[in-house]
């Protein structure tokens, strides 16, 4: 091959590579919980606050991905913003147990190697998702709970807070009402937070963080910290974060089952997520939804409630933030 031919070949290769990399999508999806969320029950001001906070989390995660950061870092950072906001039922603003305390659960999963970390029953960790990540990266375990998890956190520079930090006035009022009318816990809007992301290297990650359900029994653990129920990520299929009535999500292994339907039955992301949320959960009268992204950057956000706080931002597309079923 003469030199001119070599140069042409080189340019051709460069062009194909750059076209290919432009084609490759990256992005993230977040949620701030699903439930009985109706337009008439949220003031315009509150709606604006939700939209702004969701947008902040979305943009933060996206900027990490845009700069070549990992899906895991994007998920972690987006969830931190939602955990720190009193608007959502995770970190500050978490719902309360029947004893009137906040007890937090979280999990995170890396689709690249199926590594995962989860924590439950935390009372003093400001950002539970950070501890879940630490369990994944710095311990030989996947799931740690309560006192043991907090002791592990102490050895690793994790931020501690008093339990009262999590308790907002709004949650306290909800708690008092729920105590008066126990049945209210079922109709309470949930507000768990979650994020799924696909990075420029094709890696998927998922994370979920929650205070659980209002008036839950002391010691109750929901689906959010359970890998395969509330959180799952696998580079071969998809990343999923769930929100809703956790007991049902555990029984159906919702997040893992969506991945299974894609892997073994060749279902599309949308069909697999719809099957779990709109068919199987619905059949059990279980309310909730999921956010999911697949390895090609397709997104699904089905929910069977009146609303789900959610945001989507995929490279080359406009950000989308929604609350209601529209
Ligand atoms: N799934 C969470 C739990 O059961 C609650 C929620 O998503 O709102 O703990």
């Amino acid at each position: 091959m003469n030199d001119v031919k070599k140069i042409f070949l080189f340019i051709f290769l460069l062009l194909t590579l750059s076209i290919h990399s432009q084609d490759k999508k990256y992005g993230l999806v977040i949620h701030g919980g699903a439930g009985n969320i109706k337009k008439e029950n949220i003031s315009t001001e509150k709606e604006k606050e939700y939209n702004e906070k969701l947008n902040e989390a979305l943009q933060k995660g996206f900027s990490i991905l845009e700069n070549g950061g990992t899906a895991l870092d994007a998920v972690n950072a987006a969830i931190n913003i939602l955990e720190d906001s009193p608007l959502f039922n995770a970190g500050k603003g978490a719902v309360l147990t029947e004893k009137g305390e906040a007890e937090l659960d979280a999990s995170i999963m890396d689709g690249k190697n199926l590594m995962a970390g989860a924590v439950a029953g935390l009372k003093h960790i400001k950002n539970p998702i950070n501890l879940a990540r630490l369990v994944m990266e710095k311990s030989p375990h996947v799931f740690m709970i309560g006192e043991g998890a907090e002791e592990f956190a102490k050895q690793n520079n994790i931020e501690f807070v008093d339990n009262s930090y999590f308790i907002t006035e709004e949650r306290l009022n909800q708690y008092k009402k729920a105590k008066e009318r126990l049945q209210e816990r079922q109709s309470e809007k949930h507000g768990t937070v979650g994020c799924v992301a696909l990075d420029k290297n094709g890696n998927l990650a998922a994370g979920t963080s929650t205070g659980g359900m209002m008036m839950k029994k002391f010691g109750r653990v929901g689906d959010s910290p359970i890998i395969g129920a509330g959180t799952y990520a696998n580079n071969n299929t998809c990343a999923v974060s769930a929100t809703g009535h956790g007991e049902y999500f555990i029984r159906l292994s919702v997040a893992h089952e969506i991945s299974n339907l894609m892997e073994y039955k060749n279902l599309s992301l949308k069909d697999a997520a719809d099957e779990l949320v709109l068919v199987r959960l619905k059949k059990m009268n279980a309310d909730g939804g999921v956010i999911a992204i697949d390895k090609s950057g397709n997104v699904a956000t089905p929910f069977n409630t009146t609303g789900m706080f959610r945001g989507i931002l995929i490279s080359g597309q406009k950000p989308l933030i929604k609350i209601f079923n529209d």
Side-chain angles (χ1 to χ4, degrees):
M1 204 187 299
N2 65 28
D3 282 354
V4 180
K5 270 190 183 163
K6 272 185 192 157
I7 290 169
F8 270 119
L9 187 66
F10 182 67
I11 293 174
F12 174 75
L13 278 175
L14 268 185
L15 277 175
T16 356
L17 263 177
S18 82
I19 288 169
H20 194 66
S21 69
Q22 274 167 19
D23 264 6
K24 263 196 155 179
K25 285 191 195 164
Y26 57 92
L28 75 162
V29 189
I30 56 173
H31 73 75
N36 187 19
I37 310 160
K38 292 191 183 136
K39 202 164 176 81
E40 58 266 31
N41 298 337
I42 297 185
S43 66
T44 328
E45 206 158 278
K46 202 78 184 173
E47 193 179 332
K48 195 168 157 254
E49 274 180 51
Y50 277 114
N51 284 331
E52 280 172 5
K53 199 40 87 176
L54 288 168
N55 190 42
E56 186 188 331
L58 205 55
Q59 298 294 346
K60 174 78 191 175
F62 191 77
S63 70
I64 290 173
L65 298 172
E66 206 169 26
N67 291 321
T70 63
L72 210 55
D73 281 342
V75 163
N76 199 154
I79 290 181
N80 280 163
I81 288 176
L82 301 173
E83 283 178 333
D84 290 345
S85 162
L87 292 171
F88 303 99
N89 170 22
K92 192 170 186 66
V95 297
L96 309 181
T97 66
E98 61 182 7
K99 288 194 174 183
E101 282 181 322
E103 257 184 33
L104 311 166
D105 307 334
S107 66
I108 193 159
M109 186 164 185
D110 188 348
K112 185 171 64 183
N113 46 23
L114 304 187
M115 292 293 282
V119 284
L122 307 178
K123 291 187 184 169
H124 308 100
I125 305 297
K126 181 169 171 272
N127 293 100
I129 198 76
N130 296 359
L131 186 55
R133 185 164 180 183
L134 209 72
V135 169
M136 173 173 77
E137 291 177 342
K138 297 262 164 67
S139 88
H141 308 304
V142 169
F143 202 169
M144 293 182 76
I145 61 162
E147 240 180 89
E150 296 201 347
E151 197 174 296
F152 173 67
K154 262 189 203 135
Q155 298 151 5
N156 284 285
N157 252 346
I158 286 270
E159 195 171 347
F160 276 69
V161 288
D162 192 80
N163 199 261
S164 59
Y165 159 84
F166 300 112
I167 305 175
T168 61
E169 214 180 294
E170 202 178 331
R171 291 296 183 214
L172 208 55
N173 289 336
Q174 280 175 2
Y175 168 74
K176 283 179 191 152
K177 263 204 252 158
K179 225 175 169 176
E180 278 163 25
R181 294 188 301 150
L182 261 181
Q183 67 273 24
E184 220 184 88
R185 72 174 147 191
Q186 301 305 346
S187 63
E188 211 60 72
K189 85 170 174 52
H190 302 299
T192 293
V193 307
C195 178
V196 294
L198 169 67
D199 66 28
K200 285 184 174 175
N201 291 319
N203 291 316
L204 291 165
T208 312
S209 183
T210 189
M213 291 177 82
M214 182 61 91
M215 288 298 283
K216 67 183 180 181
K217 285 215 174 299
F218 160 60
R220 176 262 189 191
V221 176
D223 61 314
S224 309
I226 296 183
I227 298 300
T231 303
Y232 194 73
N234 182 340
N235 275 10
N236 293 330
T237 53
C238 61
V240 181
S241 169
T243 176
H245 197 149
E247 280 68 11
Y248 295 93
F249 283 71
I250 296 173
R251 291 177 187 132
L252 292 177
S253 301
V254 167
H256 189 226
E257 190 64 3
I258 292 173
S259 169
N260 282 345
L261 288 177
M262 293 179 73
E263 190 162 8
Y264 304 121
K265 289 224 157 172
N266 258 326
L267 258 59
S268 69
L269 179 78
K270 183 181 183 308
D271 288 349
D274 283 356
E275 165 69 21
L276 263 298
V277 177
L278 306 180
V279 181
R280 297 192 199 174
L281 282 165
K282 186 96 189 154
K283 221 185 262 171
M284 295 172 93
N285 263 331
D287 64 349
V290 303
I291 53 167
I293 187 166
D294 71 11
K295 56 183 177 179
S296 315
N298 298 309
V299 164
T301 60
F303 53 96
N304 59 31
T305 48
T306 53
M308 179 167 80
F309 297 103
R310 61 204 187 277
I312 305 172
L313 184 45
I314 304 295
S315 54
Q317 298 174 17
K318 280 199 189 133
L320 194 75
I321 290 176
K322 288 191 166 217
I323 300 179
F324 311 103
N325 199 353
D326 48 9

